[in-house]
């Protein structure tokens, strides 16, 4: 398509979107704006389009690309996570999420994601290099003692109490994950259907603490102390920590009261562990 | 009195409950409310719906399923949001004092929702 035809096509899409805000023309129009360097316009169009088509995978893909190009890695990861939920076999999303986790410095979460991406794209040089880098970072972070001047480890081993809980599968515990304020996994894992889902959970839970704090503050309830979530498959308990959050998940059959008690015990252990980390 | 307002009235009978609402999960708008004076209905609806939607995204992303119940505990009170199938795209949102009997609220809410035609 030559330039005049292209501009004419963009005008047609633009008119369709103006006439009908629910029109799917927002997608090629936004993509065209992105290609022409107008990322700000593209972003507005996609966000508006998603209000009418929240399950449109291609729109989430485009949004993830736009966020990534703006350098907003966390939002991009959030969108890649949504894409994978809607279309688990979307190779681009699997690859992008794995590389984003690695770029973010979260080697512990990146390794399993990179391994999964490499199953789909075994010859991808960037993935291979990232996996090597992530494994090396994990190995480098392994020694427990380090000088105070060194940067904190990318991923630390879980506190013993987290390991202890994970070792109780007979109680129906799916896992316990310690997340930082940026939605990164600091420790622990969450096994669903045999796979670690902690990275997906962490990325999407980013902001949940702020939402809860905002709701509690707005209603004059003070600080939030816990969130309990139930689905037909699982019960998840979230509790706040300084600059972090603890998520503990159990199968639905696990009594919520028992899960809450375990979560409180783990929260105390995690707070102690975080304090010790800060003191290194 | 409509079926929905009757539902809220019965939930509100539980000691410690400050009010309840039916909220559109998608946009956080109030559909029906029965709240004590001073409880900011629209803000509560919007904030709880936003939190619920975030939970929906995160739990689905981790393949843990769609949330049907959310409970936020704070120093000065408790918020509940339930999304039973019978309410379609509506959330039943309850605001309560910190000392409320959580089990009783859940039981009453489940009983009332179960009785919906």
């Amino acid at each position: 398509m030559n330039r005049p035809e292209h501009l004419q096509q963009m005008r047609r899409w633009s008119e369709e979107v103006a006439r009908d805000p629910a029109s799917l023309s927002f997608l090629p129009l936004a993509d065209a704006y992105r290609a022409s360097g107008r990322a700000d316009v593209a972003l507005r169009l996609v966000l508006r389009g998603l209000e009418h088509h929240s399950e449109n995978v291609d729109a989430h893909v485009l949004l993830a690309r736009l966020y990534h190009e703006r350098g907003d890695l966390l939002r991009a990861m959030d969108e890649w996570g949504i894409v994978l939920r809607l279309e688990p076999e979307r190779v681009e999303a699997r690859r992008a999420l794995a590389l984003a986790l690695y770029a973010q410095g979260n080697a512990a979460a990146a390794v399993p994601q990179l391994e999964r991406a490499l199953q789909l794209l075994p010859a991808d040089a960037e993935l291979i290099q990232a996996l090597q880098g992530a494994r090396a970072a994990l190995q480098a972070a392994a020694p427990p003692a380090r000088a105070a001047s060194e940067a904190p480890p990318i991923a630390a081993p879980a506190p013993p109490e987290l390991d202890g809980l994970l070792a109780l599968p007979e109680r129906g515990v799916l896992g316990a994950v310690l997340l930082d304020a940026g939605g990164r996994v600091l420790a622990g894992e969450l096994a669903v259907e045999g796979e670690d889902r902690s990275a997906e959970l962490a990325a999407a839970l980013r902001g949940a603490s702020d939402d809860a704090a905002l709701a509690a503050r707005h209603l004059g309830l003070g600080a939030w102390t816990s969130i309990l979530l139930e689905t037909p498959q699982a019960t998840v308990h979230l509790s706040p920590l300084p600059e972090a959050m603890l998520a503990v998940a159990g199968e639905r059959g696990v009594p919520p009261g028992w899960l809450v008690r375990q979560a409180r015990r783990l929260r105390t252990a995690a707070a102690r562990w975080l304090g010790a980390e800060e003191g290194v | 009195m409509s079926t929905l307002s009757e539902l809220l009235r019965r939930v509100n009978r539980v000691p410690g409950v400050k009010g309840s609402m039916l909220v559109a999960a998608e946009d956080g708008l109030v559909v029906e409310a029965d709240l004590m004076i001073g409880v900011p209905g629209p803000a509560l609806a919007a904030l709880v719906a936003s939190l619920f939607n975030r939970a929906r995204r995160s739990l689905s992303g981790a393949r843990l399923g769609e949330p049907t119940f959310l409970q936020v505990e704070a120093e000065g009170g408790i918020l509940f949001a339930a999304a039973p199938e019978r309410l379609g795209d509506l959330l039943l949102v309850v605001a309560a004092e910190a000392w409320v009997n959580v089990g009783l609220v859940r039981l009453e809410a489940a009983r009332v929702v179960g009785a919906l035609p």
Side-chain angles (χ1 to χ4, degrees):
Chain A
M1 194 184 294
N2 59 37
R3 187 168 166 74
E5 283 175 350
H6 181 64
L7 289 175
Q8 205 174 8
Q9 179 64 65
M10 280 182 74
R11 202 172 302 121
R12 270 199 297 273
W13 286 329
S14 191
E15 284 166 2
E16 281 172 28
V17 171
R19 197 168 47 245
D20 175 13
S23 165
L24 276 169
S25 295
F26 81 91
L27 198 51
L29 181 62
D31 209 15
Y33 272 117
R34 172 178 171 256
S36 64
R38 301 283 308 277
D40 51 337
V41 182
L43 189 64
R44 278 201 300 275
L45 277 165
V46 179
L47 289 172
R48 213 175 301 150
L50 278 168
E51 288 173 12
H52 300 277
H53 303 281
S54 60
E55 305 279 297
N56 188 304
V57 183
D58 292 328
H60 285 289
V61 167
L62 183 52
L63 187 55
R65 288 176 186 158
L66 285 162
Y67 279 140
H68 189 265
E69 285 160 6
R70 287 161 64 103
D72 192 342
L73 209 54
L74 288 175
R75 282 205 170 92
M77 286 167 64
D78 218 358
E79 290 305 317
W80 290 126
I82 294 169
V83 171
L84 288 174
R85 175 169 65 82
L86 295 168
E87 198 178 310
E89 299 311 313
R90 189 83 172 214
V91 178
E92 180 190 2
R94 183 69 62 199
R95 179 182 189 277
L97 183 63
L99 289 173
L101 282 165
Y102 176 61
Q104 198 189 30
N106 193 343
V111 166
Q113 294 293 333
L114 287 163
E115 286 170 347
R116 290 188 69 188
L118 272 166
Q119 285 172 0
L120 301 167
L121 301 162
D124 190 305
E126 200 177 348
L127 285 174
I128 294 168
Q129 200 176 359
L131 182 59
Q132 287 168 347
R135 283 179 175 155
L138 278 180
Q139 277 180 346
R146 60 182 190 275
S149 58
E150 286 178 10
I154 293 164
E161 289 82 354
L162 287 183
D163 285 336
L165 187 64
L166 291 167
L168 289 173
E170 73 275 11
R171 296 301 302 262
V173 172
L174 296 167
V177 186
L178 189 59
L179 321 168
D180 73 4
R184 286 169 296 195
V185 177
L186 293 174
E189 64 175 33
L190 177 75
V192 182
E193 295 163 6
E195 287 183 34
D196 182 18
R197 296 278 170 195
S198 53
E200 286 97 331
L201 184 75
L205 274 179
R206 182 178 58 84
S209 179
D210 290 342
D211 281 357
L214 186 66
R217 194 170 57 239
H218 208 90
L219 299 166
L221 301 179
W224 73 279
T225 53
S226 76
I227 297 175
L228 189 70
L229 294 157
E230 292 179 11
T231 76
Q233 290 90 39
T235 303
V236 180
H237 184 275
L238 309 175
S239 47
L241 286 156
E243 301 295 315
M245 183 161 63
L246 177 71
V248 181
E251 289 171 1
R252 187 55 195 266
V254 172
W258 185 83
L259 194 73
V260 169
R261 290 174 76 86
Q262 296 304 317
R264 285 182 185 150
R265 187 173 63 78
L266 283 174
R267 185 184 178 280
T268 305
R272 210 168 36 233
W273 182 71
L274 282 171
E277 284 293 295
E278 281 170 10
V280 171
Chain B
M1 186 179 284
S2 73
T3 310
L4 295 181
S5 59
E6 169 61 15
L7 184 158
L8 301 182
R9 202 171 60 80
R10 286 175 59 178
V11 174
N12 291 354
R13 278 192 209 139
V14 176
V17 170
K18 296 195 287 186
S20 53
M21 289 185 294
L22 287 165
V23 174
E26 189 77 11
D27 52 20
L29 295 176
V30 178
V31 174
E32 187 90 39
D34 186 352
L35 300 165
M36 280 172 62
I37 292 170
V39 179
L44 172 63
L47 292 165
V48 171
S50 166
L51 191 55
F52 200 89
N53 285 329
R54 182 182 292 279
R56 179 175 285 158
R57 284 167 56 185
S58 60
L59 296 183
S60 300
R63 301 217 178 152
L64 289 170
E66 294 267 324
T68 52
F69 180 77
L70 162 78
Q71 178 183 316
V72 180
E73 287 192 40
E75 290 164 345
I78 302 182
L79 305 173
F80 303 87
E85 258 182 49
R86 299 184 78 134
L87 286 181
D89 62 346
L90 296 181
L91 297 176
L92 170 61
V93 175
V94 180
E97 302 284 359
W99 49 264
V100 76
N101 184 324
V102 173
L104 209 55
V105 175
R106 296 185 59 166
L107 195 65
E108 187 60 30
R111 212 154 58 87
V112 169
V113 170
L116 280 174

